[in-house]
Structures are given as C-alpha cells and as structure tokens.
Amino acid sequence: MAGNTLSLTILSDNNAAGGCRAEHGFSLLMETAESTILFDTGKENALLMNAAELGVDLSRTKQLVLSHGHYDHTGCIAELLELAPDASVYLHPAAFQQRYSIRGGIPKPVHMPEPALVALNSLPAQQLNLVEQPSVLSYSAAVTGPVPRRTSYENTGGPFYLDPEGTIPDPIDDDLSIWFETRDGLVLVAGCCHSGIVNTLRYVTELTGNRRITALIGGFHLSAASPERLRQTVDELNTFDIGRVVPCHCTGEAASTFFRRNLHCPVEPGYVGMRLEFPL
C-alpha cells in the first residue's frame, strides 16, 4: 500500500459480491501505512470467511474499534483477538451492557455474545481503551466517543431496552464513529449510527472545523425511519459538502433509494468486497 493512502475494505455487510458471504452485520478494515484498524467484527464468522476470500490478513490488525455493543457488530471479537492478540481495543464502557430489542412484546437479546465478553475481559488492561470522549487513533484517524443528540427528528432507530421487560429504554450511549483526515476532506465511517447520522456529522465537523466530507460510509439505521425523518435527514445532509455516500448494513433499501434520488452527491450502496481508497 502506498504510504499516503487510506484503503477501506468492507468485510461484513448485508450484501456481498460474488464469492463473499453476506450477513446482517458490519465490519470494515481501514489501512494506512501507519496502522491497520478493524471497525467492528460482524455477526458471526462471515468476517473470517470474507477476509480469506479477499486475501485480507486480519493478523495485521493493530487496533479494533467497536462502534457499539450489539451482537451484529461484535460477533467475531474472540476469533479476531486470537489472530491479533496484541491489538488494542477501543469501545465505550456501555458496550458491555445486557440489552434487548422488544417487538410484539417479545424480548430478543441484542447484546454482545458471551465469547466476545470473555475475550475482552481477558485482555491486559493496557490493551483495553474505554472511549468516553473524542480520541485520536493515529495521525489521520480519530474516534468520536459519545455523540451529542441535538436533532429533534433522530432517535436510536428501534425498540431498544436495557431490561427484557421493556421498562428501561436503551439510549445506546456507546454509539461512536470514526473519521479520517484525508487530502480531499473527511472520511466518516459509522457502524449503526444510533446517535443519528446528522448528529454525528454535525459533531465531527464541529470537532474538526472541516465541512468537506469526501465520503460518508456505513450503517445509518434508517430501515424503520419515517418519511419525515428521511426528508429532514436529506435536507440537512445537503447543506454539507459531501462527495459521496456509501450506505451499508442497517440503512435500509428504502432509505438508500431515497438518498440516491434526493442527495446532491453520488450514492452507492456498500457490500462485502467493496474497496475504497483516499489520498492522505
């Protein structure tokens, strides 16, 4: 890889190119000359299968960043840490919580699987980084930490609770995203964006002072969004200088189509096997 390039490869997603496996999950590899960062680990073992298919060596991972503690983003942590035992891990403390999605009165556990919890709790203290504020990962990369929730129309995107009875709403405080400073502007990568993509974009541009977004990539959790939320989201995104949008995972086909028809920039849905490069 060229020393002045950011290379992104999607390794887990709801859609996949030929030869790769799709799953309801998300994982993206981020490579520069300085570091190799894995953002989330997908739902099950698709990460390992797809890495092998695409010729990706996960043992080179130096940093593992977890966007939040849901099962479809943390399913392969134990296996990844076996391959890369010295990798530093970054996550918010709330990612360890037990949590549930409740539909039709039926609670479904959506927290991190037990092998992932065991693997994380077995790490030496110096390898586990609890992120509660914006934190630098490398000279070009940083993680948001918790994102302020300021918009009136964005929410967590689903019936999420901290108890199976549904009496304690889960604010998903552990939701975080990564951004890179590139030669052409910011590259912003979200896992599920339970904080809201507009809240996240506003926060990152405030932190950096840069409103040029060369690429906005990841899951935006808009599969259950109302038409009004989609319209307000697009109206706000169109106030930014965005080069391209790559919706993945939980964004939803309807939202992706709405983006493609209404955003003032190209929209290309992501898939396992997609590779993107940006000059640093």
Side-chain angles (χ1 to χ4, degrees):
M1 181 195 313
N4 60 347
T5 300
L6 165 65
S7 176
L8 306 182
T9 305
I10 298 176
L11 296 176
S12 171
D13 188 58
N14 296 40
N15 299 297
C20 294
R21 177 182 171 185
E23 67 173 0
H24 178 74
F26 189 66
S27 179
L28 189 148
L29 188 72
M30 310 164 171
E31 299 174 278
T32 68
E34 182 186 16
S35 189
T36 300
I37 304 168
L38 186 66
F39 187 53
D40 291 342
T41 63
K43 178 184 176 183
E44 293 174 338
N45 64 350
L47 171 66
L48 303 181
M49 297 172 63
N50 291 332
E53 177 69 23
L54 296 169
V56 170
D57 182 3
L58 291 173
S59 70
R60 297 177 58 249
T61 302
K62 292 183 179 179
Q63 295 164 303
L64 170 62
V65 179
L66 301 175
S67 65
H68 61 303
H70 281 168
Y71 72 100
D72 49 333
H73 295 254
T74 59
C76 218
I77 289 175
E79 292 84 351
L80 185 279
L81 290 175
E82 285 184 9
L83 293 171
D86 296 326
S88 297
V89 180
Y90 296 78
L91 76 167
H92 187 276
F96 291 100
Q97 294 178 117
Q98 299 289 293
R99 55 220 319 185
Y100 304 85
S101 172
I102 302 179
R103 289 182 170 86
I106 301 173
K108 172 189 174 183
V110 294
H111 39 255
M112 200 181 299
E114 187 65 24
L117 289 168
V118 170
L120 292 176
N121 286 321
S122 300
L123 286 175
Q126 65 270 22
Q127 277 182 248
L128 194 63
N129 301 275
L130 301 180
V131 181
E132 299 185 75
Q133 59 186 3
S135 302
V136 173
L137 297 174
S138 71
Y139 80 92
S140 61
V143 62
T144 60
V147 174
R149 318 285 176 94
R150 295 171 180 161
T151 58
S152 61
Y153 53 88
E154 293 184 296
N155 52 46
T156 59
F160 299 113
Y161 297 89
L162 294 174
D163 63 323
E165 294 75 31
T167 62
I168 309 172
D170 183 1
I172 316 184
D173 290 329
D174 47 322
D175 177 73
L176 52 83
S177 298
I178 289 180
W179 80 85
F180 287 82
E181 300 266 8
T182 78
R183 205 180 306 167
D184 298 329
L186 302 176
V187 172
L188 177 58
V189 182
C192 261
C193 222
H194 290 290
S195 304
I197 188 56
V198 172
N199 281 326
T200 301
L201 192 55
R202 284 181 180 177
Y203 188 48
V204 170
T205 54
E206 288 170 8
L207 290 171
T208 62
N210 190 349
R211 286 180 67 87
R212 168 59 182 173
I213 314 298
T214 190
L216 184 57
I217 304 163
F220 308 140
H221 219 288
L222 294 168
S223 54
S226 67
E228 180 60 24
R229 177 176 176 178
L230 290 178
R231 169 53 60 188
Q232 290 179 284
T233 297
V234 161
D235 287 347
E236 179 77 15
L237 292 180
N238 278 334
T239 69
F240 289 87
D241 181 13
I242 301 176
R244 68 196 293 191
V245 174
V246 182
C248 303
H249 179 44
C250 54
T251 304
E253 290 187 16
S256 296
T257 298
F258 191 80
F259 278 6
R260 191 162 54 249
R261 291 174 177 170
N262 295 282
L263 284 177
H264 297 162
C265 65
V267 176
E268 181 184 1
Y271 55 88
V272 176
M274 175 182 269
R275 298 182 192 264
L276 303 166
E277 289 196 350
F278 306 91
L280 292 174

